[in-house]
Amino acid sequence: MTEAPEPADHDGRTPARYAPGTPCWVSLMVHGMTAMRTFYGELFGWEFQPGPERLGPYVRALLDGREVAGIGLLPPDRHLPVAWTPYLASDDVDLTAETVRRCGGTIGVGPLEAGDAGRLAIGSDPAGAVFGIWQPAAHRATSVDGVPGTPAWNELLTYETAAVAKFYGNLFDYEERPTASADPDHITLSLGGRPVAGIHGMGHALPRDRGPHWLTYFEVADADEAAVRLVALGGRVLTPAEDTAHGRTATVTDPEGARFALVSRPR
């Protein structure tokens, strides 16, 4: 993980428009909607409101009345891995989706309309990591950051950075720079000089049961306390909380196995 983008202003509100390529939304598809709403509501203090049901039952998570994430229900006959998926902002989702295909990735869903909220596609990079593409209309995406309960950072965990960084660089105008890390194959993607995401090449250390995947970090006030609360709610700690250059982090899963990370940063 590297330095997460700074909040847009003092109260955590984010800009009305995200630059293309910026992670602007995270969404989770689950098997048990009621149980997962309870889990994340208790963990992060989220409340929920109905969202567009173009892909089935879907709710938006709210923090102090502002949207932070989405949770949808998987069809009962779809036995897919449960995972948090980051969405990258785009001014033209159809063009971005076509570029994904042309550069060796795949598009599994869309492009399609999500009611009047916007237009989306879901695809995977050449190594298999799944991500979304979001072209906003009425729904501008995550509307608050920098406070507990909000997405703080998204990092791609993959085999090696060079080829996959070239793929994402063909989609958006990312600037690449090495990340100050004990791991040599670790880069930061920036837009206009602002860090927006990371890519971590893990080689054979990449979990075999998961493969290449995006990992979303959620801000919490205290990573250790949040990890204890998560276990009490039925989640699991994969990597206990530890101090890093950018805060105290723990890698965890929810009760259905979706991986994510908790981070408490110095204030």
Side-chain angles (χ1 to χ4, degrees):
M1 180 184 173
T2 187
E3 187 67 28
E6 291 297 320
D9 57 32
H10 69 280
D11 69 353
R13 291 184 183 274
T14 54
R17 178 184 176 277
Y18 284 85
T22 307
C24 63
W25 187 248
V26 290
S27 191
L28 175 68
M29 300 298 290
V30 302
H31 298 289
M33 177 75 81
T34 300
M36 288 299 95
R37 286 177 57 168
T38 299
F39 172 83
Y40 285 103
E42 292 288 338
L43 183 63
F44 293 137
W46 290 349
E47 297 177 336
F48 300 91
Q49 69 177 17
E53 296 194 2
R54 177 66 176 81
L55 300 178
Y58 190 86
V59 295
R60 289 178 182 151
L62 307 179
L63 191 66
D64 295 329
R66 290 177 285 176
E67 298 174 346
V68 295
I71 299 178
L73 183 66
L74 284 166
D77 59 340
R78 300 291 297 277
H79 301 289
L80 300 173
V82 176
W84 280 100
T85 300
Y87 282 73
L88 308 178
S90 173
D91 288 338
D92 186 336
V93 69
D94 294 83
L95 177 60
T96 303
E98 181 55 36
T99 306
V100 168
R101 296 187 184 99
R102 191 174 68 248
C103 294
T106 60
I107 295 295
V109 176
L112 52 80
E113 302 293 334
D116 62 354
R119 190 164 174 79
L120 67 85
I122 301 173
S124 58
D125 64 31
V130 175
F131 64 97
I133 308 163
W134 180 250
Q135 180 182 339
H139 173 54
R140 291 289 182 179
T142 302
S143 58
V144 59
D145 66 6
V147 297
T150 61
W153 185 250
N154 287 280
E155 182 129 317
L156 174 61
L157 307 183
T158 189
Y159 294 112
E160 55 85 26
T161 62
V164 76
K166 181 178 180 181
F167 167 81
Y168 286 99
N170 285 330
L171 303 185
F172 303 106
D173 294 328
Y174 292 124
E175 306 139 14
E176 297 177 26
R177 63 178 175 83
T179 301
S181 169
D183 301 303
D185 196 14
H186 202 171
I187 64 173
T188 298
L189 301 179
S190 298
L191 292 168
R194 184 188 187 197
V196 296
I199 303 179
H200 184 186
M202 300 179 66
H204 294 301
L206 192 70
R208 291 187 178 182
D209 64 332
R210 191 64 184 84
H213 63 283
W214 282 90
L215 182 70
T216 297
Y217 287 73
F218 289 94
E219 185 98 14
V220 293
D222 185 315
D224 295 86
E225 187 277 331
V228 170
R229 187 164 69 252
L230 172 137
V231 171
L233 292 168
R236 187 161 63 99
V237 174
L238 300 178
T239 304
E242 60 182 354
D243 291 322
T244 72
H246 307 289
R248 191 161 176 81
T249 67
T251 305
V252 299
T253 75
D254 67 22
E256 290 197 7
R259 294 175 186 244
F260 60 100
L262 307 169
V263 58
S264 51
R265 294 183 286 179
R267 297 186 180 277

